[in-house]
Amino acid sequence: MNHNLKHLHPYPFAKMATLLADSKPANGYSEIKLGIGEPKHEPPAFVLDVLRENLDKISRYPTTNGMFELRQTIAHWLEKRFFLNHVDANTQVLPVMGTREAIFSFVQAVVDHEVADTESNAPASNTSPTVVMPNPFYQIYEGAAILAQATPYFVPCTSDNDYKGDYRAVPKDVWMRTQLLFVCSPNNPTGAVMTMDDWEYLIRLSDQYGFIIASDECYSELYFGTAPIGLLQACAALGRRDFKNCIVFHSLSKRSNLPGLRSGFVAGDAKILQAYLQYRTYQGCAMPIPHQLASIAAWQDEKHVAHNRALYQEKFALWMSELGELLELRMPDAGFYFWVKVPEQFDGDDEIFVKALYEQANIHALAGRYLSREVDGHNPGQGYVRIALVASVDESREAISRIRKLLGA
């Protein structure tokens, strides 16, 4: 077995299961799941129709780079959404079976130990390729880095840096051995969004040190005002039409309430995608043709996305109105998470708070410390709880009522 498997942390939900193993949910309450970021809104019916109408095509092998029609649809969507002059559907777009598997496999494809061993001037113990990532973070970033035998470097996202991470504080010697930087914008779990100035700074760093920027933008369509700026949009604004060393990940899971379709794409630097496509050809992760045709329909329609946003806006407004004076709620820039500071009555302890939510209100939430790692003696997720507003509006009202009672209101 791969010896690096022993270095993997248990997944956050496995940690939650351990925490609650001896707990019992509150009697008389139905379960409300706000811990897992799984969309519960209805998927668009027309997408399901396309899927059903093309089930006979399941008998055909799909190609690794997908149908041209899907790549062209994605290219047009990128151009319209991020104000891009041209995206080459043949070289700058690659459909994938959901961004989770793509993020993981991308790290395996790009981490290069030979470069680290031969070009680094650092001592031998410090030549390991480094993957920089926000902290808290989507755990696939860390796990993929560990299994690629790279060293994760965590950038704390705290209130002091607007929950985006202070990349200017990363030491030069870290950037010198960095091969890949993960950015999540809109961020999971904090909801923070990168500005044009933020993107420009990171792009200049990439030019200086030669690392790849991988932007996880899976929550980009769940915004409440101005649409978030994406990495490719920032590249275009800087006159970088080749998107050098810049890659983005997008998905239909959150945008279109289709997590089970396992449909997303990777786009950006053609040279990087050419090599990544070769890797995927051996990996054998091609999207089934019925899924591709359903994805085309989803990417071509914006009405259902606007409706989806409206539902989340309604729920966020409800929570802010009904709980804003009892909980330290901070409206995210985008996404569907509240990153909630634990009330003092629970000693600021996120594990105590999530246990109380489960035992006294039968509400599932996620302890913030499970989404982050300790850096310089501090875990930036400790004292926070992630609440996913994925349940229905009615369930949200019920959850609010239970939480008010829990807080003594």
Side-chain angles (χ1 to χ4, degrees):
M1 299 296 290
N2 186 333
H3 72 278
N4 291 298
L5 286 169
K6 67 178 180 289
H7 298 303
L8 295 178
H9 290 258
Y11 215 63
F13 305 111
K15 291 182 178 180
M16 282 300 305
T18 300
L19 176 69
L20 301 178
D22 297 324
S23 297
K24 294 183 179 180
N27 289 326
Y29 284 140
S30 59
E31 181 180 59
I32 299 178
K33 293 185 176 181
L34 305 178
I36 299 178
E38 181 180 60
K40 297 299 183 183
H41 298 167
E42 288 292 323
F46 66 90
V47 175
L48 302 185
D49 289 341
V50 173
L51 192 61
R52 280 189 291 266
E53 292 164 3
N54 290 278
L55 286 178
D56 61 312
K57 296 179 178 62
I58 204 74
S59 62
R60 292 161 47 189
Y61 278 120
T63 59
T64 305
N65 65 341
M67 302 168 59
F68 173 76
E69 292 82 359
L70 175 57
R71 298 197 307 274
Q72 187 69 71
T73 297
I74 292 169
H76 287 161
W77 182 81
L78 283 168
E79 289 166 356
K80 183 177 181 180
R81 167 64 176 83
F82 295 106
F83 308 99
L84 307 177
N85 289 329
H86 177 67
V87 175
D88 191 321
N90 286 317
T91 64
Q92 294 179 318
V93 174
L94 182 59
V96 295
M97 287 288 287
T99 52
R100 178 171 178 163
E101 69 87 1
I103 287 170
F104 179 86
S105 62
F106 186 77
V107 178
Q108 313 312 306
V110 303
V111 167
D112 187 349
H113 287 270
E114 184 175 347
V115 170
D117 291 341
T118 60
E119 294 187 6
S120 174
N121 292 319
S125 60
N126 291 327
T127 58
S128 172
T130 296
V131 178
V132 176
M133 62 195 70
N135 187 28
F137 56 90
Y138 182 40
Q139 195 154 329
I140 301 301
Y141 309 156
E142 177 197 50
I146 289 172
L147 290 177
Q149 299 187 66
T151 301
Y153 182 90
F154 304 107
V155 180
C157 300
T158 67
S159 58
D160 293 336
N161 52 54
D162 296 326
Y163 299 98
K164 291 186 292 187
D166 183 4
Y167 293 96
R168 289 172 171 79
V170 176
K172 179 180 178 180
D173 67 295
V174 172
W175 290 127
M176 288 178 65
R177 59 180 184 269
T178 294
Q179 293 188 6
L180 179 63
L181 163 66
F182 272 114
V183 180
C184 185
S185 180
N187 183 273
N188 168 16
T190 71
V193 166
M194 300 286 281
T195 66
M196 184 61 201
D197 287 343
D198 296 328
W199 284 128
E200 183 173 0
Y201 178 76
L202 294 181
I203 290 169
R204 300 304 182 200
L205 276 179
S206 172
D207 286 345
Q208 182 177 355
Y209 294 103
F211 58 77
I212 295 169
I213 304 175
S215 180
D216 180 352
E217 301 179 3
C218 292
Y219 295 87
S220 70
E221 305 314 288
L222 304 182
Y223 53 86
F224 311 109
T226 303
I229 298 171
L231 174 58
L232 300 189
Q233 184 177 352
C235 286
L238 295 172
R240 304 165 66 94
R241 295 183 181 181
D242 62 351
F243 309 131
K244 181 182 178 182
N245 279 340
C246 291
I247 294 291
V248 297
F249 297 82
H250 282 268
S251 169
L252 290 175
S253 294
K254 275 69 176 180
R255 172 189 181 270
S256 299
N257 305 312
L258 293 166
L261 190 66
R262 307 314 305 137
S263 178
F265 68 82
V266 185
D269 187 325
K271 291 182 179 179
I272 294 173
L273 289 183
Q274 181 181 22
Y276 181 46
L277 173 59
Q278 183 182 26
Y279 178 94
R280 291 183 65 80
T281 300
Y282 281 86
Q283 183 190 17
C285 245
M287 191 188 306
I289 293 172
H291 290 218
Q292 294 190 52
L293 294 170
S295 299
I296 291 172
W299 287 115
Q300 288 177 338
D301 181 77
E302 291 296 327
K303 289 183 180 179
H304 77 280
V305 185
H307 176 66
N308 198 29
R309 276 196 295 270
L311 289 175
Y312 285 118
Q313 289 170 351
E314 180 181 358
K315 287 185 286 186
F316 272 107
L318 178 66
W319 279 71
M320 293 294 293
S321 173
E322 298 295 324
L323 280 175
E325 294 182 1
L326 296 174
L327 278 179
E328 193 171 319
L329 298 180
R330 181 184 59 85
M331 188 67 187
D333 296 327
F336 57 43
Y337 299 115
F338 269 128
W339 188 233
V340 184
K341 193 170 184 180
V342 176
E344 291 184 5
Q345 69 190 81
F346 299 96
D347 299 325
D349 190 307
D350 45 308
E351 289 184 324
I352 292 175
F353 188 38
V354 294
K355 286 191 71 172
L357 286 169
Y358 179 67
E359 294 173 349
Q360 299 180 45
N362 202 1
I363 293 173
H364 289 263
L366 184 60
R369 71 179 70 187
Y370 299 162
L371 293 166
S372 50
R373 300 288 176 259
E374 184 175 303
V375 175
D376 296 329
H378 176 65
N379 183 323
Q382 193 165 343
Y384 287 84
V385 167
R386 192 187 77 176
I387 294 177
L389 297 196
V390 291
S392 68
V393 174
D394 288 342
E395 282 186 303
S396 290
R397 291 195 178 96
E398 175 62 22
I400 289 168
S401 175
R402 297 181 196 178
I403 293 174
R404 289 182 63 87
K405 183 177 179 180
L406 176 66
L407 297 177

